[in-house]
Amino acid sequence: MDNFSQATSKLAQSQSLYPRLSFITFGDVEDSRNRISRKAVRSHAALYQHAASRESKGLNESTAKKKQIRRYKKQDVVLDIEILTTIPSEETSGFPEESPRNSLKGTSLQVILGQGRCDPFRTYPIDWNPRIPQLVDHYLTNMAIDMPELDEPGNAGLLRTRWFPLTMTSAPIFHVIILLAASHHSALYSPTKEPSSSLSRTTSRDLIHLKSIAIASINRAMQADSLSTSDPLIGAVAKMASYEAMYGDVATFEVHMKGLIQMVRLRGGLGSLGLSGLLAKICVWIDCNAAFVHGMDHTYFEPEGGRSWLGREVGINPSGFLAAY
């Protein structure tokens, strides 16, 4: 657009904003001072002032909008979906340090969050690690399955709905759950196969490290009198016993069972355990199935007066014990 066209456009815009000029005619100078003439002059001056004010306001708004647009263009909007931010905690995750970028490589956000089966808010009782959601997902999907020996009539899935929430309240028991899930996953998926996730890189050294972290966490909790006979700690020791029965040795299993017996006695017996009787069933079920699998001639929780446990027979399910629990 040339200069003449720009000037014409501005003039037309100015004429649309400002009032048109008009002439006041009178025959005598005194007529210019009468009420009608003064009113016409004041009216034109007021209209002109309003037009100037509207023009100034329009320019200011236009300038402000342009500045705002420029400011928005300069800003980078960052959506933070980084899952590897370390959350301070008294308990470490037990996994070796790894590069955040590499740990996310080839892993979708859906897999990381466990397809709705894991906690996206990271309210785990131990330090954050990118493998935790996958291990929790593996545990809930493949290990905490329906167990007729543990479930109630018409109320299946208690390992998921009643037991697992307990594991989310305490670091020792959660460490043991992570150890069990990692060991179970490692047994199912060989590292020599095509890696399906970062869990496929779990080595025997990782498992030993996870075990040491779990035992150290239990020992620390044992030193606190208020926690020494709590449901989470009793559950942690019971699960460590089941871990040794499945992946360790009988001698270490018996060490854990002896400690578990003492803790239950200090608590007041199996009937005093929580989870509406589920924790007691878990302790007895581990004891009976481990004795059956290893051909032991005794169990640690002896029936009282020859009666069945908790008013019902304890089902022996070695395939479920070894493969899922």
Side-chain angles (χ1 to χ4, degrees):
M1 183 180 293
D2 56 15
N3 294 335
F4 177 77
S5 300
Q6 291 180 356
T8 304
S9 176
K10 290 182 180 180
L11 179 60
Q13 184 179 5
S14 176
Q15 290 177 349
S16 65
L17 289 175
Y18 292 91
R20 297 178 63 85
L21 297 176
S22 61
F23 294 94
I24 301 175
T25 59
F26 46 85
D28 191 350
V29 178
E30 294 298 330
D31 293 338
S32 64
R33 300 176 183 176
N34 61 30
R35 183 175 61 83
I36 297 176
S37 299
R38 290 199 301 271
K39 183 178 180 180
V41 173
R42 287 197 301 270
S43 177
H44 183 82
L47 289 174
Y48 188 90
Q49 182 63 32
H50 287 312
S53 178
R54 287 196 301 270
E55 182 182 26
S56 176
K57 184 177 179 181
L59 290 175
N60 292 337
E61 289 181 352
S62 176
T63 304
K65 287 182 179 180
K66 289 181 179 179
K67 289 182 179 179
Q68 189 176 21
I69 293 173
R70 286 198 299 268
R71 184 168 65 252
Y72 287 158
K73 288 183 178 180
K74 291 179 180 179
Q75 290 178 344
D76 294 329
V77 179
V78 179
L79 179 61
D80 184 11
I81 58 172
E82 179 60 68
I83 67 164
L84 303 177
T85 303
T86 301
I87 299 178
S89 172
E90 294 181 359
E91 295 284 347
T92 60
S93 64
F95 288 99
E97 296 293 333
E98 59 181 86
S99 171
R101 298 295 181 187
N102 294 336
S103 63
L104 278 177
K105 186 177 181 180
T107 306
S108 68
L109 187 61
Q110 185 181 26
V111 172
I112 291 170
L113 296 182
Q115 300 175 349
R117 293 184 292 267
C118 296
D119 181 12
F121 302 104
R122 313 174 191 171
T123 57
Y124 305 108
I126 63 176
D127 278 348
W128 171 255
N129 186 280
R131 298 186 188 182
I132 291 177
Q134 300 176 55
L135 286 173
V136 170
D137 179 69
H138 180 80
Y139 179 80
L140 292 175
T141 306
N142 300 282
M143 304 181 72
I145 60 177
D146 296 353
M147 287 287 181
E149 300 83 11
L150 300 176
D151 292 334
E152 298 172 351
N155 191 11
L158 292 184
L159 289 178
R160 296 184 299 275
T161 61
R162 191 178 297 174
W163 160 256
F164 183 73
L166 177 69
T167 68
M168 291 285 287
T169 64
S170 174
I173 190 172
F174 192 80
H175 277 302
V176 179
I177 293 299
I178 292 297
L179 170 63
L180 280 167
S183 301
H184 187 265
H185 188 281
S186 180
L188 288 179
Y189 304 102
S190 171
T192 58
K193 298 179 181 179
E194 184 68 22
S196 59
S197 69
S198 62
L199 295 182
S200 301
R201 300 194 301 270
T202 302
T203 63
S204 58
R205 185 176 63 179
D206 295 332
L207 297 178
I208 293 174
H209 185 60
L210 288 175
K211 180 180 177 181
S212 66
I213 292 293
I215 294 176
S217 182
I218 292 175
N219 289 336
R220 283 194 298 269
M222 287 285 191
Q223 297 175 2
D225 294 337
S226 60
L227 301 176
S228 58
T229 58
S230 64
D231 284 342
L233 193 55
I234 288 176
V237 175
K239 295 300 292 180
M240 277 302 303
S242 70
Y243 168 82
E244 293 295 343
M246 290 186 290
Y247 304 106
D249 56 79
V250 176
T252 310
F253 163 78
E254 291 183 335
V255 171
H256 290 305
M257 288 302 299
K258 290 177 182 178
L260 179 63
I261 285 289
Q262 293 179 4
M263 295 173 68
V264 172
R265 287 174 180 172
L266 290 173
R267 176 70 177 268
L270 288 171
S272 64
L273 301 185
L275 301 184
S276 301
L278 178 61
L279 183 55
K281 291 179 186 179
I282 290 175
C283 293
V284 175
W285 197 71
I286 292 173
D287 185 20
C288 294
N289 279 276
F292 180 85
V293 169
H294 292 286
M296 301 170 63
D297 57 359
H298 67 280
T299 57
Y300 286 88
F301 291 100
E302 297 294 338
E304 298 177 0
R307 300 172 57 187
S308 60
W309 289 112
L310 305 172
R312 58 178 294 184
E313 294 293 336
V314 177
I316 301 298
N317 186 357
S319 60
F321 178 72
L322 293 176
Y325 200 68

